[in-house]
Amino acid sequence: AISLDQIDVLYSLLMLSTNHPIWLMAEMRDRYSARALLGQAEGASVEEIRMTLRPHLGKLIPKLLRACNDPSKQTRENMNNLWLALTGGGAESRAIVTQHLLPTIDTLIQDAGSKLWRARAGACGALADIIVGRSWQDLGGGGLELDDEGSRMKPTASIRLLRLWKITMRALDDVRTPVRERGEILGRGIRALTIRLCDPSATEISQESDVYLSNAQQKQREKQNQIWAEYAATVSLGWLVKYGLNQPCAEATGICVSTLLGIVDVAKPSTLQPVLAELIGSLLMAMSGLEPAALNYLQVRASGNDATSSQGGSGPDRYDRLERLRINLALSGPIAGALHKCLEMVRFVDLDAQKKLIPELDSSLRKGAGFATRAATADAVGSLCGTCPAAFSFTGSTMANPTVRLLRALYFASERERGATAKDKMTHALGSLAELAPGKAVRILALKACERYCESSGSNNDPSVRKAAAATIRAIAVRASNHLADGGHNDIWCKRVLPTAFLGRHDKDAKVSSLWKDVWDEGGSAISSMDRRDNMFGVLLQEKLLPHISKQTLSALQSTSWANRRAGCAVLVELTDANILAPAGRSTGDDNNALGEEIDRLRQRAKASSILLSECVQIIARNRIWEGKGDVVKAGTTIAGKWSASAPLNKDTEFWPVVLLKDSKDDLFKGDNWFNMSKRKSSDMNDDVGADDTNDTTTEMNGQSSEDDTILDLSAEHDLADDEQLNGESAESDMEEYLESQQPVVFSGICRVLLDQTLKTGSNNSAEGVLPYKAAALSGLSSLLKSVVPLKDSNEYAETVEHQRFIYDLAAPSILSFVTEGHSGSSKPTPPLLIARALECLGSAMYDGIGADVGGSAYADAVKLIKFFALSTGPKQPAWTVRQMSALA
């Protein structure tokens, strides 16, 4: 056929030799079988034919082995008989294959990529048979090569191992079923081979003479085996983590994962050292990459249902439960087991290899497309902080330092992460890492967290940012308390962090408030234990930090967020109840040093009280009413009442926040003539009612992805500077100038402001928040009037009564007119609550001897007052609160 140049004749003869009916007869098949023909050829013995064909076996073996694994059963049987006849089978056959192993493997690898599917199937089956139990030297030896395209003329063991993995992956994803079946067999074989090559203790002694090697020779052999195992691990793991875990075929990915786990299980730390960092990074990325897509679908559906079910309170719980389930499932899988073993190996490798791991952790956290990866990364960071703290020791405190970069990535990732479980893991890792990070970097991060907490309110309301900031500061205070001893040249822990924590304790979110309470308790105890000043013994931490707390509270009162204002008011009330925003008690001793310290404490308290009281009065004086403004009234009147109780009468004090002056009835602040300036009074006359911050579930989702298998946006990290400069530090000189020019509040002025806010006509009492505010204002005025009490044994008794008469004459006309109009039955009746509170104020303003003094005003006439109270307590008054308060007055 070849001589006639008609190849089709040859194929016809081949088809005839296999398909003719004569070959179906058992006698003919046995008579002309390969073994029978080989044993009867020209009378020669089988041994002679073997010896004759021995020089040609190098070319015949690949074809014979491929035919022995042919998909056709009949072909396999005939070729197996022929193979046994030629090689003898057993150990003799393996010895012949070993003699021609390298060219055979190269040829079969080439045949495994053939266009003929029978050739691919046969080559894969043959390779699975001949690679069993081979060593690094059997595969060609050589050094480390990570590119299988190099050294084609003389491939090494590295190149052959890579090519075996490639054709295995291709066979597992073949279109033909027989090829895939042979591919699975080859996959199991290459897995066993790779694990054996990476195990330095799996080398058998092949020669009897090796038993008699000396100890030095044995150590040399063990060292060589260790080197070969390191080569095999580097080549295999490098390919598996780069390509194996990303295979489109599920069976191929399974073989790769199983091999990777097997390598980690048998390899020693020194073997994995060159690729340990990259291996851990790849395992972390695989935590989410190998997760079933159905779980992410369920998570997205749960996220979408949160908006509709959050009103009932079950939406976020369902989302968090599903998130915990996914994380627990990922952390209990085989990938997590391999990751745990790798992390345990880190402490046994060199320090340089340990430090290479930190950028990999940072990359996994930033590039991880699922919270399982980010949660596992956080766990890895926390584990390494305890086992390998030296790995995080780098120079510098900027983003060039991998530890600082990882620290900031953990903070912003916890801020952008939605799930509570992943957030908690990141916060825990951040606290552990902060203990090892440079102090300057930790201080900068703490400053940034405080700033973002204060900024994330009002129109920028973001509960997730506030929660992340509070959790970050708590983690630092609890797990990295060693940094609290060094606040830097700006002393940021006392000037910014603890004051923010003291204010954050009154956050409207209970979880955030609890976090800040822990910060105040832990950080405060650490700061107090480090304070060795004798004159501060027994002084509360709030008083030690009073200037800084006052500054932070002032910022809250000036904030556009009314929630911040309410928190600031709660701080004022707390400080006042603790007698910190009040005059300090005086000692009875004659120690001049103690007296000087008391004066300094009094000045500090007065200075802080003056700043905060002034701001409260200015807020009260504005006509705008919003929900929570009553808290400002309570705070302001409480502070004013504490200081007015001991304020000098008709005297110009140097630093007292409140003054009792009769000749300044038109002043709100001393000398400002505020009540005669109509422009100030009407500046916001039409701005009566406001609204509070919104805090719904859609706000918390702001900036967060609705899908969990996406990379987090950490772009806000670029706004984090490398300088720990306080934002408000440049304004401290302006604050000092402001204090120098600040005038004390006039007692009569604040009383008039409260009356004007409450008793003014034309305001809509039915508007939301107006009635509670007016009731709070009248209650505050009543408590303020009660604070100035004359003592009969005092030298200032008469002067105090005279001041009370002055205040009564100032307030009585407005109160009586307000109550009288409420009884007149107008179209807009006054709420009984306001009438009762007004009567309470009238009773609080009464002074000793009212109705009996000859020169008293008409409103102090006892007969008129009795008739007035009789009208309020008569049978025509239906409100029992009014009757009760009128009787008490």
Side-chain angles (χ1 to χ4, degrees):
I2 295 175
S3 60
L4 294 175
D5 199 16
Q6 294 183 1
I7 307 300
D8 56 335
V9 176
L10 176 61
Y11 289 106
S12 299
L13 292 174
L14 290 173
M15 293 179 62
L16 182 62
S17 66
T18 57
N19 298 328
H20 197 276
I22 193 174
W23 302 113
L24 298 178
M25 300 173 61
E27 312 160 343
M28 301 301 295
R29 188 166 62 249
D30 294 339
R31 182 182 300 176
Y32 296 99
S33 65
R35 175 180 286 274
L37 292 175
L38 186 60
Q40 300 173 2
E42 299 180 359
S45 65
V46 175
E47 188 63 31
E48 292 177 354
I49 295 176
R50 290 178 184 172
M51 297 304 296
T52 303
L53 294 177
R54 191 64 59 89
H56 307 285
L57 284 179
K59 296 181 180 179
L60 292 177
I61 287 177
K63 296 180 176 60
L64 289 174
L65 290 175
R66 190 183 70 191
C68 289
N69 291 276
D70 193 86
S72 173
K73 179 180 179 181
Q74 186 174 352
T75 302
R76 289 198 306 272
E77 291 177 354
N78 289 329
M79 298 311 296
N80 282 327
N81 292 331
L82 180 59
W83 174 257
L84 291 175
L86 280 176
T87 62
E92 188 177 355
S93 297
R94 183 170 177 83
I96 294 174
V97 172
T98 303
Q99 184 179 356
H100 305 281
L101 181 63
L102 297 182
T104 301
I105 290 179
D106 294 339
T107 302
L108 290 175
I109 288 176
Q110 186 176 0
D111 292 342
S114 173
K115 294 182 179 180
L116 303 176
W117 68 272
R118 288 179 178 271
R120 297 197 300 271
C124 290
L127 284 171
D129 292 337
I130 66 175
I131 65 175
V132 176
R134 300 300 176 181
S135 65
W136 185 260
Q137 286 297 98
D138 292 340
L139 294 178
L144 183 63
E145 296 186 47
L146 301 178
D147 185 6
D148 65 321
E149 299 298 330
S151 304
R152 291 188 178 183
M153 298 301 296
K154 190 178 180 181
T156 61
S158 300
I159 294 177
R160 289 191 177 91
L161 188 59
L162 291 175
R163 291 178 179 177
L164 283 172
W165 272 110
K166 282 190 174 183
I167 62 105
T168 303
M169 298 297 103
R170 190 181 302 169
L172 288 170
D173 201 20
D174 201 280
V175 295
R176 291 282 186 172
T177 302
V179 181
R180 292 198 298 272
E181 292 175 352
R182 300 300 193 284
E184 292 178 0
I185 299 174
L186 178 58
R188 291 192 291 269
I190 190 65
R191 175 189 179 275
L193 173 66
T194 303
I195 295 175
R196 185 177 184 277
L197 291 176
C198 295
D199 187 1
S201 63
T203 304
E204 74 280 358
I205 299 178
S206 58
Q207 299 180 6
E208 295 182 0
S209 59
D210 293 343
V211 178
Y212 304 102
L213 293 176
S214 63
N215 291 335
Q217 291 173 332
Q218 288 284 1
K219 291 181 179 179
Q220 183 65 26
R221 178 180 289 275
E222 291 176 0
K223 183 178 180 181
Q224 188 62 47
N225 292 338
Q226 180 69 30
I227 294 175
W228 288 339
E230 183 178 326
Y231 288 165
T234 303
V235 173
S236 303
L237 292 175
W239 190 89
L240 288 172
V241 300
K242 189 175 182 181
Y243 302 105
L245 299 180
N246 301 320
Q247 292 294 321
C249 176
E251 291 80 3
T253 304
I255 289 291
C256 293
V257 172
S258 178
T259 305
L260 192 148
L261 299 179
I263 294 174
V264 173
D265 193 29
V266 302
K268 296 182 178 179
S270 58
T271 304
L272 297 180
Q273 178 172 315
V275 293
L276 187 58
E278 184 180 358
L279 174 61
I280 291 177
S282 300
L283 289 174
L284 289 172
M285 296 297 291
M287 295 289 289
S288 293
L290 299 179
E291 191 180 32
L295 293 178
N296 183 49
Y297 173 77
L298 292 175
Q299 194 80 23
V300 173
R301 291 295 300 270
S303 172
N305 293 334
D306 279 355
T308 57
S309 59
S310 59
Q311 296 179 355
S314 61
D317 293 338
R318 181 174 59 251
Y319 180 93
D320 291 339
R321 286 198 300 268
L322 186 55
E323 181 213 19
R324 286 194 298 270
L325 176 64
R326 289 180 65 183
I327 292 180
N328 292 335
L329 184 63
L331 296 181
S332 61
I335 296 292
L339 177 62
H340 180 68
K341 292 179 180 178
C342 290
L343 292 174
E344 289 182 346
M345 292 182 184
V346 173
R347 56 179 173 174
F348 300 109
V349 301
D350 297 340
L351 182 59
D352 293 338
Q354 293 178 5
K355 290 188 174 184
K356 291 180 181 178
L357 180 58
I358 310 306
E360 291 291 338
L361 295 174
D362 178 68
S363 177
S364 300
L365 191 62
R366 295 172 184 273
K367 298 179 181 179
F371 57 66
T373 291
R374 297 189 286 270
T377 302
D379 286 342
V381 172
S383 175
L384 291 175
C385 287
T387 58
C388 308
F392 298 91
S393 299
F394 296 90
T395 58
S397 57
T398 62
M399 288 291 284
N401 186 329
T403 302
V404 176
R405 182 175 172 84
L406 178 60
L407 181 71
R408 296 182 181 182
L410 282 170
Y411 168 66
F412 287 101
S414 66
E415 183 181 283
R416 309 303 292 178
E417 190 69 62
R418 183 182 179 191
T421 305
K423 276 179 177 286
D424 293 341
K425 289 181 177 293
M426 292 178 188
T427 304
H428 182 276
L430 186 146
S432 301
L433 184 60
E435 186 177 7
L436 306 174
K440 182 178 179 181
V442 177
R443 293 194 296 269
I444 292 173
L445 182 62
L447 276 178
K448 184 63 177 180
C450 292
E451 290 174 7
R452 291 185 67 81
Y453 172 79
C454 297
E455 294 170 356
S456 301
S457 57
S459 58
N460 299 322
N461 187 35
D462 193 341
S464 63
V465 174
R466 296 204 309 272
K467 202 173 296 183
T472 297
I473 301 298
R474 180 190 179 277
I476 295 174
V478 173
R479 302 186 176 277
S481 57
N482 57 308
H483 288 293
L484 299 180
D486 181 15
H489 64 278
N490 286 322
D491 195 14
I492 65 125
W493 304 113
C494 293
K495 289 186 178 181
R496 179 58 60 85
V497 176
L498 288 180
T500 304
F502 192 75
L503 182 68
R505 291 161 60 249
H506 300 279
D507 194 282
K508 58 183 178 182
D509 190 332
K511 293 182 179 179
V512 177
S513 175
S514 176
L515 292 172
W516 284 120
K517 286 180 181 177
D518 292 342
V519 174
W520 176 257
D521 294 338
E522 296 292 337
S525 60
I527 294 296
S528 298
S529 62
M530 298 170 190
D531 192 353
R532 304 299 182 184
R533 293 176 296 177
D534 295 336
N535 59 343
M536 290 289 105
F537 180 77
V539 179
L540 295 177
L541 180 62
Q542 295 94 314
E543 186 171 354
K544 294 179 183 179
L545 305 179
L546 185 58
H548 313 303
I549 294 178
S550 301
K551 183 178 179 182
Q552 196 69 27
T553 307
L554 181 64
S555 300
L557 293 175
Q558 294 173 346
S559 172
T560 57
S561 168
W562 298 336
N564 286 353
R565 295 182 182 180
R566 287 199 299 270
C569 294
V571 169
L572 296 183
V573 174
E574 179 181 355
L575 292 176
T576 308
D577 292 341
N579 286 327
I580 294 177
L581 290 180
R586 298 179 180 180
S587 63
T588 58
D590 298 331
D591 189 356
N592 293 330
N593 293 330
L595 183 59
E597 293 171 3
E598 290 180 2
I599 294 176
D600 292 339
R601 288 180 61 188
L602 181 61
R603 288 180 180 275
Q604 177 176 287
R605 291 185 174 200
K607 181 179 178 181
S609 300
S610 178
I611 297 173
L612 299 173
L613 178 59
S614 299
E615 185 62 31
C616 290
V617 170
Q618 292 177 24
I619 294 175
I620 295 171
R622 302 189 189 109
N623 288 329
R624 182 167 186 169
I625 298 175
W626 37 273
E627 184 180 355
K629 190 177 180 181
D631 297 337
V632 181
V633 174
K634 180 180 179 181
T637 53
T638 304
I639 297 174
K642 290 285 186 179
W643 287 94
S644 60
S646 56
L649 290 168
N650 299 317
K651 295 180 182 179
D652 190 7
T653 57
E654 181 181 357
F655 51 82
W656 218 262
V658 182
V659 292
L660 307 179
L661 300 176
K662 293 173 56 179
D663 55 352
S664 300
K665 65 176 183 179
D666 292 328
D667 295 345
L668 180 57
F669 296 92
K670 183 181 177 182
D672 66 348
N673 200 24
W674 191 87
F675 291 96
N676 291 331
M677 301 178 66
S678 59
K679 181 178 180 180
R680 288 189 181 183
K681 295 177 64 176
S682 60
S683 59
D684 55 350
M685 186 67 69
N686 297 324
D687 195 10
D688 283 340
V689 182
D692 196 7
D693 305 334
T694 58
N695 184 16
D696 52 13
T697 56
T698 57
T699 306
E700 191 166 359
M701 286 289 294
N702 184 23
Q704 297 176 337
S705 173
S706 60
E707 295 189 10
D708 297 289
D709 288 351
T710 55
I711 299 176
L712 294 180
D713 180 16
L714 304 184
S715 57
E717 182 183 10
H718 301 296
D719 299 333
L720 188 59
D722 292 325
D723 186 12
E724 52 181 318
Q725 186 76 15
L726 290 172
N727 286 345
E729 187 179 10
S730 60
E732 286 190 359
S733 59
D734 297 337
M735 179 65 70
E736 295 295 333
E737 295 178 0
Y738 169 76
L739 290 174
E740 293 295 333
S741 61
Q742 181 68 32
Q743 295 295 327
V745 177
V746 179
F747 185 85
S748 60
I750 189 173
C751 293
R752 288 187 63 180
V753 166
L754 291 173
L755 286 173
D756 289 348
Q757 289 284 306
T758 309
L759 309 181
K760 63 181 180 181
T761 59
S763 60
N764 185 8
N765 292 326
S766 63
E768 183 179 1
V770 173
L771 181 60
Y773 168 69
K774 289 186 175 183
L778 289 173
S779 296
L781 176 60
S782 176
S783 62
L784 184 61
L785 293 172
K786 292 177 181 179
S787 64
V788 181
V789 179
L791 299 177
K792 293 186 177 181
D793 298 335
S794 172
N795 297 330
E796 298 180 346
Y797 172 77
E799 202 171 357
T800 304
V801 172
E802 185 64 25
H803 184 271
Q804 284 185 314
R805 183 185 294 111
F806 163 71
I807 296 298
Y808 178 83
D809 294 340
L810 196 66
S814 301
I815 295 176
L816 293 174
S817 175
F818 176 77
V819 174
T820 304
E821 290 180 0
H823 295 325
S824 61
S826 59
S827 58
K828 293 183 179 181
T830 304
L833 175 62
L834 296 184
I835 296 178
R837 295 291 171 83
L839 291 173
E840 181 183 6
C841 292
L842 184 63
S844 300
M846 292 182 180
Y847 55 92
D848 290 351
I850 187 172
D853 52 341
V854 180
S857 64
Y859 298 100
D861 188 357
V863 177
K864 291 184 178 180
L865 288 175
I866 291 174
K867 292 182 178 179
F868 172 77
F869 288 130
L871 178 64
S872 300
T873 56
K876 295 184 179 180
Q877 176 54 255
W880 67 270
T881 55
V882 177
R883 295 198 301 269
Q884 179 188 23
M885 199 57 63
S886 180
L888 292 175

